[in-house]
Amino acid sequence: MRWKKGEATIEAMLAAGELLRGSATDEHTAFLLKTAMGYLRTAHRAFDDDDLEQSIANAWESARLAMSYVLARQGLRAAGRDTHVVVLNAARAQYLDKTALEDPTRNLRQRRHDLNYPEAGVVPASLQETQIYLDAVDSLLNKVVELSPHFDIF
């Protein structure tokens, strides 16, 4: 059964060419989820090593792949120039909580960008903000695993 929440948004994204239909294979979706979990483990190790910028970068990669995993379970994939934004917008439409997860995850994407492509005066990552991002991505991965049986081909 097709996931109903955010259905109109996903249809609009398909019509705009932001999302493309593809095939959903168990091997591909398992690979995306395994890779997302690996990036999150790496993010936690970097945090423990006080390498906060790498922790944030790996946390975002984990989040992005977790959101891509949900799309792949539905036979969809992001297309175009702003694929990071596309996967985030699709997730926001379908399952991201508007309180605990949505804002930290959106901020995580921008913060990762700012740290990877810094301008003069960029503020270094802090332990507190990095922990918030890691908690948000932990929650995201738990949520997509919990919901994944409900995401059928769109």
Side-chain angles (χ1 to χ4, degrees):
M1 174 188 269
R2 185 189 274 194
W3 184 261
K4 295 295 183 192
K5 183 178 179 189
E7 185 175 26
T9 300
I10 299 301
E11 289 288 357
M13 294 173 81
L14 282 162
E18 295 174 343
L19 291 174
L20 298 176
R21 293 185 192 277
S23 59
T25 67
D26 290 339
E27 294 81 18
H28 179 64
T29 57
F31 170 78
L32 289 172
L33 185 59
K34 178 183 175 186
T35 305
M37 290 177 171
Y39 272 113
L40 185 56
R41 282 190 303 275
T42 301
H44 280 284
R45 279 195 303 272
F47 181 83
D48 292 343
D49 291 342
D50 202 30
D51 189 351
L52 304 181
E53 288 74 16
Q54 281 303 309
S55 181
I56 288 172
N58 282 288
W60 170 249
E61 289 304 311
S62 177
R64 181 184 61 78
L65 286 167
M67 292 181 283
S68 295
Y69 160 77
V70 172
L71 289 173
R73 292 221 15 123
Q74 297 174 88
L76 304 171
R77 68 179 181 86
R81 288 178 29 105
D82 296 321
T83 54
H84 286 222
V85 175
V86 170
V87 295
L88 181 55
N89 288 341
R92 286 174 58 213
Q94 292 189 304
Y95 57 87
L96 279 185
D97 297 332
K98 295 209 179 300
T99 54
L101 192 56
E102 181 182 4
D103 290 338
T105 306
R106 183 183 315 128
N107 294 338
L108 172 58
R109 182 187 67 80
Q110 186 60 51
R111 187 65 165 129
R112 190 262 335 160
H113 180 272
D114 292 345
L115 292 169
N116 282 354
Y117 308 98
E119 294 185 22
V122 69
V123 177
S126 72
L127 284 170
Q128 182 180 8
E129 79 168 312
T130 306
Q131 186 63 63
I132 289 168
Y133 294 141
L134 289 174
D135 291 346
V137 178
D138 281 330
S139 294
L140 173 64
L141 274 170
N142 288 333
K143 186 166 201 142
V144 301
V145 168
E146 174 190 328
L147 293 176
S148 66
H150 305 288
F151 287 106
D152 290 329
I153 299 298
F154 197 88

